């Protein structure tokens, strides 16, 4: 019998404080949600998502400069066959590329995210949030996460 939950749009969110420990919590939350939706627990797709979430959450923790005491992680599975992972913080500044001298040790997160999304046919966007901050969205095709045989499971 088919699992009818896969035919509906699904969404979940968690709010975390902007401490370093929250990066791992965000990564675990998204992985647990996606595995619950049918993404294989072991595999390159989930590893890619974990890295994307780590980079997004790290940006929310490190680059909001105290303007955001917490951040929210949203996971949305749309009927369009795409999965969106959004990280919302209270800082209105969009992510910016750091100068090359600063990027020797860090500051390459957005480049990493864009490269990973490019490999799987995904996209990155930054949207102002209702609260005056922003949401950075990484959107990936569902079939690349769950495997080719699940491409048609959403209406």
């Amino acid at each position: 019998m088919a699992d009818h939950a896969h035919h509906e749009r699904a969404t979940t969110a968690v709010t975390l404080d902007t401490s370093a420990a929250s990066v791992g919590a965000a990564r675990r939350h998204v992985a647990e949600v996606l595995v619950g939706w049918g993404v294989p627990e072991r595999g390159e797709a989930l590893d890619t998502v974990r890295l994307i979430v780590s980079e997004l959450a790290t940006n929310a923790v490190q680059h909001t400069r105290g303007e955001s005491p917490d951040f929210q992680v949203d996971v949305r599975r749309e009927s369009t066959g795409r999965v969106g992972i959004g990280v919302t913080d209270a800082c209105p500044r969009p992510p910016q590329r750091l100068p090359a001298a600063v990027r020797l040790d860090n500051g390459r997160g957005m480049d990493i995210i864009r490269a990973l999304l490019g490999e799987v046919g995904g996209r990155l966007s930054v949207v102002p949030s209702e609260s005056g901050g922003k949401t950075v969205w990484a959107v990936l095709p569902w079939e690349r996460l769950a495997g080719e045989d699940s491409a048609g499971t959403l209406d």
Side-chain angles (χ1 to χ4, degrees), residues 3 8 10 14 39 52-53 60 62 64-65 79 90 96 104 121 125 127 142:
D3 181 357
E8 300 172 6
V14 65
V39 173
I52 290 169
V53 172
Q62 290 184 347
T64 57
R65 296 189 181 97
S79 60
Q96 296 180 357
L104 292 175
S125 63
V127 180
W142 173 253

Side-chain angles (χ1 to χ4, degrees), residues 97-119:
R97 187 171 226 160
L98 297 175
V102 176
R103 290 189 297 150
L104 292 175
D105 291 328
N106 62 31
R108 294 181 296 267
M110 297 306 287
D111 291 338
I112 291 168
I113 294 168
R114 282 186 187 94
L116 291 169
L117 289 171
E119 289 176 10

Side-chain angles (χ1 to χ4, degrees), residues 4 20 44 46 49 54-55 58 68 89 113 115 118 121-122 135 141 146:
H4 296 287
E44 191 174 325
L46 200 56
V49 169
S54 290
E55 294 296 337
T58 297
S68 189
D89 62 54
I113 294 168
T135 303

Side-chain angles (χ1 to χ4, degrees), residues 16 19-30 53-54 57-58 71:
L16 302 163
S19 68
S22 292
V23 173
R27 187 175 50 244
R28 284 187 300 277
H29 172 74
V30 172
V53 172
S54 290
T58 297
F71 65 98

Side-chain angles (χ1 to χ4, degrees), residues 3-143:
D3 181 357
H4 296 287
H6 291 284
H7 295 284
E8 300 172 6
R9 192 167 68 146
T11 185
T12 183
V14 65
T15 300
L16 302 163
D17 64 43
T18 52
S19 68
S22 292
V23 173
R27 187 175 50 244
R28 284 187 300 277
H29 172 74
V30 172
E32 288 171 6
V33 168
L34 292 178
V35 167
W37 290 348
V39 173
E41 192 167 357
R42 300 196 193 293
E44 191 174 325
L46 200 56
D47 289 344
T48 297
V49 169
R50 284 184 181 113
L51 182 52
I52 290 169
V53 172
S54 290
E55 294 296 337
L56 291 174
T58 297
N59 283 348
V61 169
Q62 290 184 347
H63 300 295
T64 57
R65 296 189 181 97
E67 294 178 50
S68 189
D70 56 27
F71 65 98
Q72 179 173 308
V73 180
D74 291 278
V75 186
R76 295 181 181 169
R77 184 170 172 200
E78 300 289 340
S79 60
T80 59
R82 301 190 78 67
V83 173
I85 301 165
V87 174
T88 304
D89 62 54
C91 181
R93 284 186 315 279
Q96 296 180 357
R97 187 171 226 160
L98 297 175
V102 176
R103 290 189 297 150
L104 292 175
D105 291 328
N106 62 31
R108 294 181 296 267
M110 297 306 287
D111 291 338
I112 291 168
I113 294 168
R114 282 186 187 94
L116 291 169
L117 289 171
E119 289 176 10
V120 298
R123 69 180 191 278
L124 182 72
S125 63
V126 181
V127 180
S129 66
E130 294 176 11
S131 62
K134 66 179 171 308
T135 303
V136 181
W137 284 101
V139 179
L140 303 100
W142 173 253
E143 69 272 5

